[in-house]
Amino acid sequence: MPRAKGGSIPPPQVFVNPGDGGLISELNENDVLSGRGGRINNHPGNITFRTVVEDYKREYLDPRIRKLEKAHVAARLVAQIRSANPPGRFLREDADHKGKYVEIGDQKAWKNCCA
């Protein structure tokens, strides 16, 4: 990632906010579900997500990369999932509506990529 004059780069731009899209009742094969357990681990989108993470791992773990640059790596990973066909979303189950999901947004998705 090229640096601007003075050595700093701006943070990644947020395109998707938490809750965008409202309640979601139908998942697609590229959706990434937040949480734990076999049902989530075996969701096709989560399997794809783990494969994509492997592609970015070497760059992200490079000791020369700075924290803000790591955020840009995570943002590119999230953008790749979101640009799939059908578009992948980063979702969590809604606590008040069993079986429904809500978008977690870009910032939380970036953090989940690197956790």
Side-chain angles (χ1 to χ4, degrees), residues 38-53:
R39 180 178 62 87
I40 289 173
N41 286 337
N42 293 319
H43 186 271
N46 289 57
I47 294 168
T48 300
F49 175 73
R50 288 192 299 273
T51 302
V52 173
V53 165

Side-chain angles (χ1 to χ4, degrees), residues 16-24 90 92 101-105:
V16 179
N17 292 303
D20 281 1
L23 285 175
I24 297 160
F90 288 81
R92 67 167 170 78
Y101 296 83
V102 292
E103 173 65 56
I104 64 171

Side-chain angles (χ1 to χ4, degrees), residues 38-105:
R39 180 178 62 87
I40 289 173
N41 286 337
N42 293 319
H43 186 271
N46 289 57
I47 294 168
T48 300
F49 175 73
R50 288 192 299 273
T51 302
V52 173
V53 165
E54 285 299 317
D55 295 339
Y56 286 86
K57 192 180 251 184
R58 173 175 273 146
E59 179 182 4
Y60 185 85
L61 294 176
D62 186 323
R64 296 168 298 180
I65 193 167
R66 294 183 174 153
K67 186 174 181 178
L68 190 54
E69 291 170 309
K70 288 180 187 248
H72 281 274
V73 173
R76 286 198 327 268
L77 190 159
V78 168
Q80 182 175 337
I81 297 292
R82 291 197 188 282
S83 67
N85 186 17
R89 301 168 290 190
F90 288 81
L91 308 173
R92 67 167 170 78
E93 194 162 8
D94 186 81
D96 299 326
H97 301 92
K98 185 100 172 127
K100 306 263 187 197
Y101 296 83
V102 292
E103 173 65 56
I104 64 171

